[in-house]
Amino acid sequence: MWINFDQLLDLPNVTVVNYQKIAQTIFLKLALLNETIECPNCHQTLDRINQTEYNLVRDLSILGNPVYLEVPRRQFHCQKCQKYISERLSFMRLRQHHTIRYESMIYERVKNCSIEEISREEGLGWEEVELIFNHCAKELEKEEWEAPERISLDEFSNLKGHKDFITTVVDLDKKNFTRCD
Ligand SMILES: [Zn+2]
């Protein structure tokens, strides 16, 4: 039976062009299906690839076997801006060597078991697990603060009769607030 890796991976705009299993580790070489990207500065369509490097990116395991994706990281050139633009991929962050879904899985597991356990089971360094966890925590915090739909601004005096005011911004939907001094 033919295994459809593209379907199994379920990542946007990619196709698996090679499969290799070395010991218990699966390596999947990817190709990107989009031939152009949009310049984030001038919004022109870019089709001139300056260079392509392959990064080994850890993804979720398949049947208990660790999976590494060989991901093409492409750099385009924008003639208008005279800049080199690194392609952003929706399934991984720039300069990271794990997919976002892999990082989310590690983040969730750290909440329930010890870092040592995950480090041993996933074959990751202690610092790497900690780094992923802190990174995800920061991203989640950012998401929670992004684009509140309804906010309320309040200003009140710190001390009665004193000209020292504190401003608070409250996200009415999420009920969290921040203090702006
Ligand atoms: Zn441009």
Side-chain angles (χ1 to χ4, degrees):
M1 190 201 135
W2 175 248
I3 304 167
N4 189 331
F5 278 117
D6 294 352
Q7 229 173 47
L8 187 69
L9 262 193
D10 197 23
L11 291 175
N13 270 338
V14 303
T15 185
V16 178
V17 291
N18 196 27
Y19 162 88
Q20 242 189 322
K21 194 171 176 198
I22 301 171
Q24 291 307 308
T25 306
I26 293 171
F27 294 89
L28 299 174
K29 189 173 183 174
L30 306 185
L32 299 166
L33 297 172
N34 57 309
E35 287 171 359
T36 61
I37 62 164
E38 188 189 286
C39 174
N41 308 312
C42 68
H43 303 290
Q44 264 195 1
T45 303
L46 311 179
D47 58 3
R48 288 167 61 117
I49 295 173
N50 177 54
Q51 61 171 38
T52 304
E53 279 178 9
Y54 280 84
N55 278 2
L56 265 190
V57 175
R58 183 79 180 260
D59 198 8
L60 299 173
S61 299
I62 296 175
L63 297 173
N65 300 298
V67 171
Y68 284 89
L69 309 175
E70 291 175 55
V71 182
R73 303 313 316 260
R74 304 183 297 188
Q75 193 185 57
F76 287 75
H77 185 247
C78 180
Q79 277 185 305
K80 196 176 170 195
C81 300
Q82 284 300 307
K83 270 185 181 164
Y84 293 104
I85 312 287
S86 296
E87 181 176 22
R88 286 179 177 269
L89 300 172
S90 60
F91 54 89
M92 58 182 287
R93 302 181 223 279
L94 272 181
R95 288 178 286 279
Q96 292 300 313
H97 292 271
H98 321 98
T99 56
I100 290 174
R101 63 189 179 190
Y102 182 79
E103 292 182 344
S104 303
M105 180 274 291
I106 295 290
Y107 176 74
E108 288 304 321
R109 280 183 63 191
V110 170
K111 289 184 193 167
N112 301 313
C113 36
S114 70
I115 291 186
E116 279 97 335
E117 226 175 303
I118 298 163
S119 159
R120 194 179 54 243
E121 283 171 17
E122 293 292 321
L124 298 171
W126 203 92
E127 287 91 359
E128 203 173 355
V129 178
E130 201 184 23
L131 215 81
I132 291 173
F133 183 82
N134 290 339
H135 194 84
C136 287
K138 225 166 87 188
E139 285 295 316
L140 281 173
E141 212 174 274
K142 232 196 282 172
E143 268 168 36
E144 276 175 16
W145 279 103
E146 253 165 15
E149 282 181 13
R150 301 182 304 147
I151 57 163
S152 97
L153 271 170
D154 258 319
E155 203 175 49
F156 56 90
S157 170
N158 196 7
L159 292 164
K160 261 200 167 155
H162 205 270
K163 281 181 185 164
D164 185 9
F165 287 100
I166 295 171
T167 308
T168 59
V169 182
V170 183
D171 181 338
L172 292 172
D173 298 305
K174 284 171 184 155
K175 302 275 184 252
N176 49 21
F177 70 92
T178 189
R179 180 179 151 167
C180 319
D181 290 326

